[in-house]
Amino acid sequence: MSKGGFERSGLEWFSSLPACLLLLAVVIFSTSSDIHNQMLRGGEQLWSGYYKLRMDPVQPTCDPDPDIDAAVEAELAASAEADDPMAALLGAEEKDPADVRLAIERSVTDCREAHRSFENLQQQLSPGVKAYRAVELFIADLIAYGLESQRFILVVLVMLCAVTATLTRHHIAMRAMETRLDYTVSHTLQTIANAMLLGSSVIFRQSTLGSDTAVSSEELLLHNFWIVGFACLTLASLYRLLRVPRDLEPGGNLNKAFLAVPLYTVMCLISGTYFALIGHASGIGIYLGKMMELSDMFLNVGLYVWVGMMLKQTRLATLVFNVFRPWRMPPELLAVVAVLVAAVPTAYTGASGIFVIAAGAVIYSELRAAGARRHLALAATAMSGSLGVVLRPCLLVVVIAYLNREVTTDELFGWGIWVFLLTATMFALVALSVNRQSEFNLAPSSEAFPAMLQALKPLVPYVLVIAAVVLFYRLALDVGVDEFSAPRLLPVIMLAILVYEHVRLKNRKGRASGEVNHQGLERSLRGATNDTTAEIGALLLLLGLSVSIGGVIERSHIMETFPQSFDSTWSAMLLMVVILVVLGMIMDAFGAVILVTATVATIAYASGIHPIHFWMVTLVAFELGYLSPPVALNHLLTRQVVGEAEVLAAQQETGTFYQRHERIIMPLIAMGISLILVAFVPLLFYGG
């Protein structure tokens, strides 16, 4: 999870430029579907029956003016020649000439209608129709190509960014590499794990070719992409192993060195060893291949990270914080406001970990600038993405509804609002009551309110830019902002904001109060994509190996050791809470949802737990798991984005036990109480 060792230079676009183009391609392909729908509607409005004009009409081959009498005689003669003597013995009746004539007259009528339709279509095929049709069919082909290439884009993006994360030492681990021993142990195990991934992919390809099922060329090409990608990743980790940086401290402790091993490496070694022992060496490759079944979801994750990194390049977050500064809030209250405000963008980024990576650095720096102590700022940053995962249009909730027919997005989002209010209240109570170290003296409203209104003015252009993009999508493409359109609409909004800042601020020099210098459109986009490549590589590889760990749990039949149903919903819920928190500690959200759907959910339903109640508990339990040691993924991601130095500085601070561990304890108290209430209070009304 450390940065360094491979400083970016003019060669940075060799990784970030392809990643930028791939992410733009995903946006274009998904937007082209909206454009195509509108073109079909527009074509129907301009030319009635346009759907018939999309292809050149084929002239009918039938004769519209036949000799009906001759046709009747020919039909009767052909029927007489084909008569079977056995048919006569069985009482079969001869064809009635009147019926034959009627049938032929109907076919002639149909034939004439077909010719008239062909002539009408020929007349409607004007040059304008042909030009419009050419564009519409091109977009249709583009959409088809985009849908077919999604899996390949995902593989290339994952491998490209994973290699970048390896070269920049940016993978997610329990601690950074500080000594030579840390570095050697970490990269040795990374190389072994990457070689294991390569071998599993090769074996999976060979077993696929050796099966009786026909293998398509696209599937074979996908296998080759995985193999080439893992080969490059293995070489990258081997290169880093042989090129030891000079800035590392000599020596080291072996126990601490193992904590510097990336989480994806640990997951790979565990799952790879398990699959090898049971004689299923292709297991990792198979479960990584399952990522392709949800390729659009994982690509959306990449888009959300990109959106967050572009947000970090803008002044938007700083301007939002400027709105609250006139009130001179104590740090604890400002932390609460920051977490509450962060809930909305979290809902649009799909999962708490994604948001922490995308905007955690901005939140931490703004809280520290406002006077928040390090532990409080770290706690708020780690929890900044935990409240919004139940709000519309969170991608994680959409995946739950997609995988489980027992619930719908409307039901989950409807109850999610109440869960959000509960968790927000708990965090506010904990932050403002436990270890509050500041006086609660807000600025007078007569002083703060006018300053707040003044601080809102710089936000007006941003609101107008966002509104313009949203209105364009609504009016031109008939697309609103929801859980399905957000992944393709948000990158466009952020690009529009970057363009606005480029035009508005390019001639400004110096640093205004509370603002950051804008470095221009190209540098901002390049900086955002540079950060995105390493973060996507670390996150998506972790997501993929998390799916593999889910496969280990599934194949080991651990869940079958538990009762498949409980007589008491209270006992069932207690077990569900424990299992779900543990899964949240060791797996990412999307991989855990897939595993829970296949295993734990069925036990919960059979035990009488309502599906909506179960999934609300699941979401809160996952968030508690991401904040719980020993892994505490959201804290690791916080360290990833704010820097190792800040976390070490916080750990060296003195005080009571709570003060020295506030960044861990505060989120645990808030989410722990919330989980207990969400899990067990509803059972008072329907539990048995």
Side-chain angles (χ1 to χ4, degrees):
M1 58 171 281
S2 62
K3 300 177 186 178
F6 185 78
E7 297 297 334
R8 291 183 179 251
S9 61
L11 301 177
E12 58 194 2
W13 272 115
F14 277 102
S15 62
S16 57
L17 179 59
C20 181
L21 295 177
L22 289 172
L23 293 170
L24 283 175
V26 175
V27 174
I28 292 171
F29 287 145
S30 56
T31 304
S32 63
S33 176
D34 303 322
I35 298 174
H36 184 246
N37 291 335
Q38 288 302 100
M39 291 199 70
L40 289 176
R41 294 175 186 174
E44 191 64 29
Q45 291 174 355
L46 293 173
W47 303 282
S48 180
Y50 171 74
Y51 70 94
K52 295 181 180 179
L53 300 173
R54 297 183 70 233
M55 299 295 175
D56 289 330
V58 179
Q59 184 173 2
T61 57
C62 62
D63 185 1
D65 297 306
D67 186 339
I68 295 179
D69 292 332
V72 171
E73 292 179 2
E75 180 67 23
L76 292 174
S79 177
E81 291 178 0
D83 277 345
D84 187 349
M86 185 60 69
L89 293 175
L90 295 175
E93 297 181 0
E94 297 181 357
K95 290 186 177 180
D96 187 347
D99 293 340
V100 174
R101 175 177 289 277
L102 181 61
I104 292 176
E105 288 176 348
R106 288 177 177 174
S107 65
V108 170
T109 301
D110 293 340
C111 179
R112 289 172 179 171
E113 182 61 31
H115 277 273
R116 280 194 295 270
S117 177
F118 170 75
E119 293 172 359
N120 291 335
L121 292 176
Q122 284 285 82
Q123 294 174 0
Q124 293 181 48
L125 279 177
S126 62
V129 173
K130 292 181 179 179
Y132 187 90
R133 183 181 66 178
V135 177
E136 183 261 310
L137 291 177
F138 170 78
I139 295 177
D141 292 337
L142 183 66
I143 295 171
Y145 175 77
L147 292 175
E148 293 174 358
S149 61
Q150 267 192 337
R151 299 182 299 168
F152 298 99
I153 292 177
L154 178 59
V155 174
V156 174
L157 188 65
V158 170
M159 293 294 98
L160 175 67
C161 295
V163 170
T164 302
T166 300
L167 295 175
T168 56
R169 294 158 51 194
H170 207 90
H171 283 296
I172 302 167
M174 299 289 289
R175 59 183 293 272
M177 304 177 201
E178 299 174 354
T179 66
R180 289 181 177 270
L181 183 62
D182 295 343
Y183 186 90
T184 302
V185 170
S186 177
H187 281 287
T188 298
L189 293 180
Q190 283 186 59
T191 304
I192 294 173
N194 294 335
M196 191 177 289
L197 290 170
L198 174 60
S200 180
S201 298
V202 171
I203 295 173
F204 182 33
R205 180 183 183 276
Q206 294 304 115
S207 62
T208 302
L209 292 175
S211 64
D212 297 332
T213 307
V215 180
S216 66
S217 58
E218 290 184 2
E219 187 176 356
L220 184 59
L221 183 60
L222 195 63
H223 281 295
N224 295 336
F225 268 53
W226 280 115
I227 292 172
V228 172
F230 285 131
C232 293
L233 187 59
T234 304
L235 292 175
S237 59
L238 183 60
Y239 169 81
R240 295 307 297 156
L241 176 61
L242 298 177
R243 294 291 298 268
V244 180
R246 297 179 180 179
D247 58 346
L248 294 174
E249 299 176 7
N253 181 282
L254 188 60
N255 291 331
K256 290 184 178 180
F258 283 119
L259 295 178
V261 177
L263 293 182
Y264 94 88
T265 300
V266 177
M267 291 181 175
C268 179
L269 294 174
I270 292 173
S271 56
T273 303
Y274 172 80
F275 286 128
L277 291 176
I278 66 172
H280 190 57
S282 60
I284 302 180
I286 293 174
Y287 281 98
L288 283 175
K290 286 189 175 183
M291 288 179 65
M292 301 300 100
E293 299 175 8
L294 297 171
S295 58
D296 54 343
M297 181 190 79
F298 288 102
L299 287 173
N300 288 343
V301 170
L303 290 175
Y304 283 135
V305 174
W306 194 35
V307 167
M309 295 307 166
M310 284 191 283
L311 173 64
K312 193 166 67 172
Q313 295 291 326
T314 70
R315 300 164 59 239
L316 191 56
T318 301
L319 294 177
V320 170
F321 271 90
N322 287 345
V323 174
F324 301 101
R325 284 195 175 95
W327 293 96
R328 295 199 296 271
M329 296 179 182
E332 293 85 359
L333 181 57
L334 186 61
V336 172
V337 171
V339 172
L340 294 180
V341 171
V344 175
T346 298
Y348 283 92
T349 53
S352 61
I354 299 173
F355 180 78
V356 171
I357 281 183
V362 176
I363 292 176
Y364 181 80
S365 61
E366 292 298 332
L367 286 174
R368 288 288 293 154
R373 55 191 179 275
R374 282 191 175 87
H375 275 286
L376 178 62
L378 289 171
T381 303
M383 201 173 173
S384 60
S386 297
L387 304 190
V389 294
V390 292
L391 298 179
R392 190 182 297 273
C394 181
L395 178 64
L396 186 60
V397 176
V398 176
V399 172
I400 290 173
Y402 174 79
L403 296 175
N404 297 268
R405 295 183 178 180
E406 295 83 1
V407 294
T408 65
T409 53
D410 289 338
E411 292 173 334
L412 293 173
F413 286 131
W415 284 100
I417 295 175
W418 297 103
V419 173
F420 165 73
L421 292 176
L422 172 64
T423 53
T425 302
M426 287 299 104
F427 179 70
L429 290 175
V430 173
L432 298 177
S433 61
V434 182
N435 194 40
R436 183 161 62 89
Q437 302 178 16
S438 306
E439 294 293 330
F440 201 87
N441 295 322
L442 295 178
S445 59
S446 59
E447 174 188 337
F449 195 70
M452 180 179 177
L453 293 178
Q454 191 68 23
L456 283 171
K457 291 182 180 179
L459 283 172
V460 173
Y462 291 86
V463 174
L464 294 177
V465 170
I466 295 172
V469 176
V470 172
L471 284 176
F472 172 79
Y473 269 78
R474 167 59 72 182
L475 299 177
L477 303 178
D478 193 25
V479 175
V481 183
D482 55 28
E483 58 266 35
F484 306 106
S485 63
R488 63 182 181 273
L489 203 152
L490 290 177
V492 179
I493 290 176
M494 293 311 305
L495 286 171
I497 290 176
L498 286 176
V499 171
Y500 161 73
E501 288 195 345
H502 175 70
V503 174
R504 181 75 176 83
L505 304 174
K506 65 180 180 179
N507 294 325
R508 288 192 178 185
K509 295 183 179 180
R511 183 185 297 270
S513 176
E515 296 182 3
V516 295
N517 286 324
H518 185 71
Q519 299 181 356
L521 179 62
E522 190 273 338
R523 286 191 177 183
S524 296
L525 183 59
R526 176 160 43 121
T529 311
N530 287 341
D531 294 337
T532 301
T533 51
E535 301 296 356
I536 289 179
L539 188 60
L540 288 186
L541 203 56
L542 182 62
L543 295 181
L545 270 300
S546 181
V547 174
S548 183
I549 286 290
V552 172
I553 297 175
E554 184 180 359
R555 280 184 170 268
S556 62
H557 305 292
I558 293 176
M559 297 308 302
E560 294 182 5
T561 61
F562 297 97
Q564 297 306 298
S565 65
F566 290 79
D567 295 332
S568 170
T569 52
W570 293 83
S571 300
M573 181 57 75
L574 180 60
L575 178 64
M576 297 298 106
V577 167
V578 173
I579 292 175
L580 294 172
V581 171
V582 171
L583 288 178
M585 292 169 62
I586 63 175
M587 294 185 67
D588 78 279
F590 297 103
V593 163
I594 296 172
L595 177 63
V596 168
T597 298
T599 55
V600 183
T602 55
I603 300 176
Y605 302 158
S607 301
I609 299 176
H610 195 282
I612 297 177
H613 182 202
F614 170 75
W615 284 109
M616 288 294 104
V617 172
T618 300
L619 290 171
V620 179
F622 281 176
E623 293 308 319
L624 178 58
Y626 304 145
L627 296 165
S628 301
V631 179
L633 182 59
N634 280 9
H635 288 288
L636 294 181
L637 297 177
T638 298
R639 177 182 293 178
Q640 177 106 340
V641 295
V642 305
E644 184 73 20
E646 289 295 314
V647 178
L648 290 177
Q651 292 174 346
Q652 292 171 1
E653 293 180 358
T654 60
T656 65
F657 178 83
Y658 181 90
Q659 292 171 341
R660 286 184 284 111
H661 301 89
E662 183 181 16
R663 66 187 182 91
I664 301 293
I665 298 176
M666 178 192 290
L668 290 181
I669 294 175
M671 293 306 296
I673 296 174
S674 299
L675 177 59
I676 292 173
L677 295 176
V678 171
F680 296 104
V681 170
L683 294 183
L684 295 173
F685 300 95
Y686 77 89

